[in-house]
Amino acid sequence: MEEVDVEPAVTNIPAASDGTHLGFAWGPGDILVYETLYKTSGAKASGCPFIHEVRKDEDIYSPILRKLFNESHHIFVGLQTIREDLPSKNKKPQFVSISKNYRSVIRACMEELQQVAVSTKVSQVALQYGNQVSILLAIELIWNLCEVLFIEAAPAGSLLLHLLDWVRLHKADVDEKAREVLQSESPAEHHDYWDVVVSYVLQGRLEEARQMLVKQATLQPAARKMYKLMDSLLSKMPFYNPGGTQTLTEFDVKWRHWHEEVDRCLQDNSFASNKHLELICKVLVGDEDTLLAHKDLLSTWYHFLVTRLLFCHPTVKPTELHYYAQSCMTMFLDPRSVPEPLDSILLAAFEFDIHQVIKDCSIALNNWWFVAHLTDLLDHCKLLQSHNLHFGSNLREFLLLEYASGLFTHHSLWQLAVDYFDHCPEFGRVYLELQIERVPLDTERKALKVLRICEQRQMSEQVRSICKIMAMRALRNNRLGSALSWSIRAKDAAFATLISEKFLQDYCARGTFSDLDLIDNLGPAMLLSDRLTFLGKYREFHKLYGEKRFSEAAKLLLSLMTAKIAPRSFWMTLLTDALPLLEQKEVIFSADQTHELMFCLEELTSSLNNTTPGTDRPMQDEDIEVTKVELLRLALARNLAMAIVKEGTVEA
């Protein structure tokens, strides 16, 4: 699509002083605006301490419109499941059904907004909801027309019937007026009576018009013959039946005969004595001056177009529509006025210029919802295949990416955006990777949601990033179990080592482990780092000791030291843990195992003696260390003697 030559809308920043210098920072969907300290020469030094948030798309924050986004998301996902290999003849009814589903969601939101706008007592809120209703009305009008012209692709004959339904649906004020007339004491004498009758005729609702005329005929017995003639003309008007046996040519001949009969009645002055019936007769022959004289009842140029086609060109072909649309718009609108964006969009649709419709809607509407979903549907109908953008992805993908990126700025709607990115084959994954990193992980539950999305799509880098963030947050809050769980999930060996150290420090300080369930069920995850392996095995030692499986506990404790899995700083704790085993009546450590323990103790004491003399260690701590070493030496010597005696006795 070429560059758009339109001036951007001006956004006024409240409380920002006139002539001040503003700074800004771009966000994913919003802009932060603030006053800077920069002053132009002669400017007063008053400043504003506020930061203003300028939102690109306010609609996603409307609770009612959020229903529109949620419901349309389900329809969108369903559309993507339609098999590509089905013949287009079979898919067309499905596409029409999906289009109607989209429109029903728009209508439901529109009705809810209308109710809230009427019931609210706050004028500003009522105005806001009223504006949203107007926008949705225009959206539904455009979508319905696109459905008729592009998705249904109705041929000549059927086309006019669809256009009549389109106008009737969007010009419903005649029904309210008719209800008011019929509920009055004397409907035929009501001041809006003839407006209702003519409106019915203009919409091709001739049966309703006949029923209304009966009420007038009963009041005027003298003119009964004239009313009977009008009733006959109205009842005879042929309408094309697509499912019938009549061909379009046969219908055209029949319609022309009827049209000539109406024209004869007009030329014969059959209704000259009744201006209202004469007016209806002129409408039936499609008299342009008469139609244009009733702009107030038609209200729009496209209603005028459909009425003109009904009474002048009922077999109009799709390829001829643009000519009639352009001429009707020119005749109906004031030549000095500039067409509204809606007029230009509808005219582009009648000209079958799909890309111009999408382009104009993108400019006129304040979010991407409409163009993204309509373009996606039209693309599935194979109507946009020839149009690729010069910067990469096709039009469908570009609009879906823009729409989904907007959803990602919302605290809950971001979850919907994931499916939209999933169905953008070229750039969807890249966008998702960038956007998912910006989702604030406010709670662990939300973090798990984001994590599940990333894991399902094998986004390993994002999985690691999320787990690291959550692990760091848990560590700052001193929730070691949660921090370890997240670091294991991230497969971050360095961080798992750090948290394992914290666990061991916590054990040294308190004498017990926190989060036992997690440590007891580490399983293969303990192999992530040596320190984590040690933590798991050390906890296993405590379990064996608690279960009085002393021999197995002793073997495990020794292996932790000799295999160098245990950190050197923790050796004294391990040797101290060996003391109760050494003090048992039954010999648990063999002579070889006791020698190993003695070697470890000597290695530890020699390294402690070689520490820098200037280190500040309290005298009391040194005394405790010396006492521990002496106790261990004594216990080891006693155990060695007992082990040698026992082993010698066994050998003998």
Side-chain angles (χ1 to χ4, degrees):
M1 290 163 78
E2 65 273 16
E3 289 297 316
V4 178
D5 297 320
V6 289
E7 287 295 319
V10 175
T11 303
N12 291 314
I13 308 295
S17 312
D18 192 30
T20 54
H21 190 266
L22 292 176
F24 64 90
W26 291 100
D30 307 334
I31 309 170
L32 294 180
V33 180
Y34 52 89
E35 283 192 28
T36 66
L37 295 174
Y38 174 81
K39 301 291 174 193
T40 54
S41 56
K44 293 181 180 178
S46 61
C48 173
F50 300 113
I51 293 176
H52 304 277
E53 184 182 11
V54 182
R55 286 174 175 166
K56 181 171 67 175
D57 182 6
E58 190 67 26
D59 287 347
I60 63 171
Y61 298 96
S62 165
I64 297 172
L65 287 177
R66 277 210 295 274
K67 292 179 184 176
L68 173 69
F69 301 135
N70 278 304
E71 293 294 327
S72 56
H73 163 259
H74 294 307
I75 301 169
F76 169 83
V77 172
L79 173 58
Q80 312 312 308
T81 61
I82 293 178
R83 285 169 49 201
E84 286 289 323
D85 57 346
L86 284 174
S88 55
K89 185 175 72 174
N90 295 1
K91 285 193 281 190
K92 184 177 170 181
Q94 288 179 282
F95 291 142
V96 172
S97 174
I98 285 168
S99 178
K100 286 178 177 173
N101 288 343
Y102 274 126
R103 288 200 295 114
S104 68
V105 170
I106 297 170
R107 281 216 158 259
C109 280
M110 199 159 49
E111 286 167 12
E112 193 172 344
L113 282 168
Q114 187 74 56
Q115 288 170 5
V116 176
V118 171
S119 61
T120 187
K121 293 177 182 176
V122 183
S123 57
Q124 194 174 353
V125 174
L127 180 65
Q128 180 191 346
Y129 283 142
N131 289 339
Q132 288 176 344
V133 168
S134 301
I135 292 167
L136 287 179
L137 269 169
I139 283 174
E140 212 260 333
L141 181 76
I142 299 163
W143 191 302
N144 197 349
L145 183 61
C146 290
E147 181 186 302
V148 169
L149 300 179
F150 307 139
I151 302 168
E152 285 266 14
S158 299
L159 177 60
L160 181 63
L161 299 176
H162 286 296
L163 290 175
L164 278 171
D165 289 337
W166 174 62
V167 162
R168 289 166 187 169
L169 184 63
H170 297 280
K171 188 76 174 65
D173 58 339
V174 63
D175 293 309
E176 291 175 29
K177 207 182 276 188
R179 216 165 13 250
E180 195 181 312
V181 169
L182 293 169
Q183 286 171 357
S184 65
E185 289 182 13
S186 178
E189 293 175 348
H190 194 280
H191 60 90
D192 284 333
Y193 171 82
W194 284 108
D195 281 353
V196 170
V197 175
V198 174
S199 295
Y200 276 147
V201 175
L202 291 171
Q203 287 190 9
R205 297 166 66 177
L206 304 187
E207 197 56 45
E208 285 105 316
R210 288 172 65 201
Q211 289 170 11
M212 290 293 282
L213 283 172
V214 169
K215 299 184 183 301
Q216 191 67 236
T218 54
L219 290 180
Q220 299 181 33
R224 190 167 293 171
K225 187 179 177 183
M226 203 186 304
Y227 278 98
K228 195 171 182 181
L229 177 59
M230 177 54 70
D231 185 71
S232 173
L233 293 176
L234 292 172
S235 65
K236 284 180 184 176
M237 181 178 176
F239 283 89
Y240 181 67
N241 179 13
T245 54
Q246 192 180 45
T247 64
L248 190 63
T249 309
E250 288 169 346
F251 162 75
D252 190 43
V253 170
K254 189 176 179 182
W255 183 86
R256 288 182 188 283
H257 284 313
W258 170 82
H259 196 263
E260 286 166 8
E261 185 182 345
V262 177
D263 195 38
R264 271 197 306 276
C265 291
L266 193 62
Q267 300 305 326
D268 296 347
N269 295 319
S270 301
F271 304 106
S273 60
N274 189 314
K275 62 176 184 178
H276 297 297
L277 294 180
E278 188 175 35
L279 167 66
I280 293 170
C281 195
K282 286 180 179 178
V283 169
L284 293 177
V285 294
D287 183 70
E288 284 178 5
D289 293 334
T290 304
L291 294 175
L292 289 170
H294 290 81
K295 284 184 179 181
D296 56 327
L297 298 179
L298 291 165
S299 74
T300 59
W301 66 269
Y302 45 90
H303 188 181
F304 169 53
L305 163 67
V306 176
T307 301
R308 187 180 166 206
L309 292 174
L310 175 65
F311 297 116
C312 298
H313 312 283
T315 57
V316 63
K317 295 174 184 173
T319 51
E320 299 167 343
L321 266 181
H322 69 95
Y323 163 73
Y324 294 116
Q326 184 64 67
S327 64
C328 286
M329 187 171 159
T330 306
M331 282 190 278
F332 195 87
L333 298 179
D334 187 335
R336 291 166 296 177
S337 66
V338 179
E340 292 289 324
L342 178 61
D343 298 326
S344 304
I345 292 165
L346 294 175
L347 184 61
F350 282 122
E351 290 171 349
F352 284 82
D353 190 344
I354 296 175
H355 301 109
Q356 191 64 40
V357 170
I358 293 166
K359 176 182 169 182
D360 288 349
C361 288
S362 300
I363 297 167
L365 299 171
N366 60 345
N367 72 58
W368 298 99
W369 179 88
F370 172 70
V371 286
H373 289 88
L374 180 64
T375 305
D376 174 58
L377 181 55
L378 294 175
D379 186 73
H380 276 83
C381 296
K382 307 292 185 193
L383 295 169
L384 296 171
Q385 298 305 302
S386 61
H387 198 80
N388 283 330
L389 302 181
H390 64 276
F391 48 81
S393 69
N394 59 30
L395 181 60
R396 169 194 174 271
E397 183 159 321
F398 169 75
L399 294 171
L400 286 175
L401 291 172
E402 287 297 317
Y403 171 65
S405 298
L407 290 181
F408 247 99
T409 63
H410 192 270
H411 64 88
S412 64
L413 294 176
W414 65 270
Q415 295 170 80
L416 307 181
V418 174
D419 286 325
Y420 289 95
F421 285 140
D422 281 345
H423 291 101
C424 294
E426 197 165 346
F427 294 124
R429 186 179 176 90
V430 178
Y431 268 68
L432 180 57
E433 287 173 354
L434 292 170
Q435 292 285 358
I436 205 95
E437 290 174 353
R438 293 171 173 167
V439 176
L441 306 174
D442 308 318
T443 62
E444 199 153 310
R445 187 181 173 191
K446 190 171 182 181
L448 287 168
K449 274 185 186 177
V450 177
L451 192 65
R452 192 157 47 249
I453 287 166
C454 295
E455 285 175 341
Q456 285 168 353
R457 289 156 184 80
Q458 286 83 48
M459 292 160 61
S460 51
E461 195 175 322
Q462 283 69 27
V463 168
R464 278 196 297 273
S465 174
I466 292 160
C467 292
K468 282 180 182 179
I469 290 166
M470 295 307 293
M472 189 61 76
R473 187 179 297 171
L475 187 59
R476 278 200 299 267
N477 295 328
N478 205 31
R479 292 167 54 229
L480 295 180
S482 180
L484 182 58
S485 177
W486 282 111
S487 64
I488 290 169
R489 205 158 184 174
K491 295 182 173 59
D492 188 336
F495 204 73
T497 300
L498 173 69
I499 297 164
S500 300
E501 285 279 10
K502 293 275 184 188
F503 264 106
L504 295 171
Q505 289 168 13
D506 189 50
Y507 171 77
C508 290
R510 293 168 52 200
T512 56
F513 281 111
S514 58
D515 299 286
L516 286 177
D517 282 350
L518 176 65
I519 300 170
D520 287 344
N521 295 290
L522 282 172
M526 73 167 68
L527 301 173
L528 183 62
S529 79
D530 287 349
R531 203 55 43 88
L532 187 56
T533 305
F534 170 70
L535 177 65
K537 290 295 180 185
Y538 185 54
R539 168 59 190 152
E540 192 179 324
F541 160 76
H542 276 275
K543 282 174 73 178
L544 291 170
Y545 185 86
E547 293 165 6
K548 300 193 184 303
R549 293 156 68 184
F550 297 133
S551 181
E552 292 173 61
K555 195 175 179 182
L556 179 57
L557 184 70
L558 188 64
S559 69
L560 289 175
M561 297 179 73
T562 54
K564 309 294 184 192
I565 294 174
R568 184 64 65 89
S569 60
F570 211 74
W571 276 22
M572 184 55 79
T573 305
L574 291 175
L575 287 166
T576 308
D577 284 333
L579 261 176
L581 296 171
L582 293 167
E583 297 290 344
Q584 294 288 329
K585 288 179 182 177
E586 186 186 343
V587 176
I588 293 166
F589 288 103
S590 67
D592 289 342
Q593 288 176 328
T594 309
H595 277 121
E596 293 276 7
L597 286 173
M598 284 176 162
F599 177 76
C600 289
L601 179 61
E602 290 310 312
E603 199 177 332
L604 179 62
T605 51
S606 63
S607 66
L608 288 172
N609 292 334
N610 291 335
T611 52
T612 313
T615 53
D616 298 328
R617 291 181 65 194
M619 188 67 70
Q620 190 180 358
D621 285 359
E622 284 189 18
D623 290 343
I624 292 169
E625 290 294 316
V626 170
T627 305
K628 280 183 182 177
V629 170
E630 290 302 322
L631 284 170
L632 281 165
R633 279 181 176 151
L634 183 62
L636 286 165
R638 190 185 299 127
N639 191 83
L640 182 60
M642 289 168 65
I644 290 169
V645 170
K646 182 183 176 184
E647 288 169 20
T649 306
V650 170
E651 284 173 17

